[in-house]
Amino acid sequence: MHWCSHLPSSLYAVAFAVLATQTIGSLAQAQCRQALALGLDVSGSVDAREYRLQLDGVAAALNAPTVQAALLDTPGSHVSLLIYEWSGPADQALILPWTPIMSVTDLEDITEILQQTARRATSPGTALGDAMILGARHLSMQPECWTHTLDISGDGKSNLGARPRDVKPVLLDDDITINALVIGADAPQSGDNRQADIAGLSAYFHAEVVLGPDSFVETALGFDEYAQAMQRKLERELQTLMMSEHDLDAGTQKRDLR
């Protein structure tokens, strides 16, 4: 604090207190309207190419004009984003810690992190229930946010760890929404049955994974369509491009009641 280094000692404490009060006030004004955690499937069924399509797809969706508008066109409140990847029961990793999105620069920084993230060695299992538990745990670290959304991407049913059907009831009291992005198989050389296959997988995620009155399942017919599906999902999760003053007031009241 060079500006106060030459103040008399009697005034230094006053100057410091004023600065601290201003800082606390500015933090209080930066309200979090939504905590959004993205859980990405990196189990054995996801090869190196599909892994790259998934991370690049998240980056492309975040930078789509409609998503950028939904994220940034509400002054005074923001979305806080976390991204993690999951496979087996004990094989999960954090890609992006909780990050407030308040500017285009924030999105550029997140994009750079996603582009620089390299595929790590992972176990072959699909521990979907454990991924749900981890996502809920991450969301619990953002109590100041008005709403809490967990978005699970997956290309198959759970085959290890806690069963999603057992985890889902446990999370009912956590006041979170769980949505899913179901990824079908890539286009085959012949005999395309992807629509039928993804319908069955979507029904599974509807029954055992998604949670909350406004929850939904988005689908991508293969990882080549992941970016477009992620964009559609984010547009829907963010709900509107511009929150009305009524929505902001309702969110503030909900936060104050906690």
Side-chain angles (χ1 to χ4, degrees):
M1 289 182 289
H2 301 292
W3 59 272
C4 63
S5 59
H6 300 295
L7 287 174
S9 58
S10 60
L11 297 178
Y12 184 88
V14 175
F16 183 82
V18 170
L19 179 63
T21 301
Q22 291 173 344
T23 301
I24 293 172
S26 63
L27 288 174
Q29 292 174 1
Q31 301 176 60
C32 174
R33 73 176 187 265
Q34 184 176 28
L36 177 60
L38 306 183
L40 309 181
D41 182 357
V42 297
S43 57
S45 59
V46 179
D47 62 26
R49 171 183 169 274
E50 293 167 344
Y51 179 85
R52 193 72 262 155
L53 285 170
Q54 194 169 189
L55 266 65
D56 289 348
V58 172
L62 287 171
N63 287 284
T66 51
V67 175
Q68 274 201 15
L71 288 167
L72 301 178
D73 286 357
T74 309
S77 65
H78 64 270
V79 174
S80 192
L81 179 68
L82 176 142
I83 305 174
Y84 69 99
E85 55 185 31
W86 59 274
S87 56
D91 197 354
Q92 301 146 346
L94 189 64
I95 297 177
L96 178 77
W98 282 116
T99 302
I101 301 176
M102 299 183 178
S103 67
V104 172
T105 300
D106 294 330
L107 288 171
E108 291 173 348
D109 292 341
I110 293 171
T111 298
E112 184 175 358
I113 290 171
L114 290 168
Q115 290 173 340
Q116 293 181 354
T117 300
R119 177 69 185 262
R120 61 188 177 87
T122 58
S123 59
T126 302
L128 183 51
D130 293 84
M132 294 164 63
I133 294 171
L134 178 60
R137 188 177 302 136
H138 283 312
L139 288 170
S140 71
M141 304 304 292
Q142 298 288 295
E144 73 281 3
C145 296
W146 304 340
T147 61
H148 299 80
T149 306
L150 172 58
D151 173 7
I152 295 283
S153 295
D155 70 345
K157 297 180 180 181
S158 186
N159 56 28
L160 283 177
R163 299 188 304 175
R165 70 178 68 177
D166 298 328
V167 171
K168 185 173 176 178
V170 176
L171 300 181
L172 283 173
D173 295 330
D174 284 9
D175 193 24
I176 66 174
T177 298
I178 302 180
N179 299 321
L181 200 170
V182 174
I183 311 161
D186 291 332
Q189 296 296 324
S190 61
D192 193 347
N193 295 318
R194 290 181 300 163
Q195 289 287 356
D197 293 340
I198 204 167
L201 190 57
S202 296
Y204 170 82
F205 273 78
H206 268 295
E208 304 205 12
V209 177
V210 299
L211 176 67
D214 298 320
S215 62
F216 63 93
V217 174
E218 184 59 71
T219 60
L221 283 180
F223 282 88
D224 288 328
E225 297 186 11
Y226 183 87
Q228 298 95 318
M230 175 60 75
Q231 179 179 336
R232 292 193 301 269
K233 185 198 62 57
L234 288 175
E235 290 169 348
R236 186 169 174 180
E237 283 172 335
L238 297 168
Q239 296 179 353
T240 60
L241 302 184
M242 292 284 289
M243 290 181 67
S244 66
E245 289 298 324
H246 173 77
D247 292 330
L248 286 173
D249 292 341
T252 302
Q253 292 171 7
K254 179 179 179 181
R255 183 175 60 87
D256 290 342
L257 289 173
R258 291 184 175 180

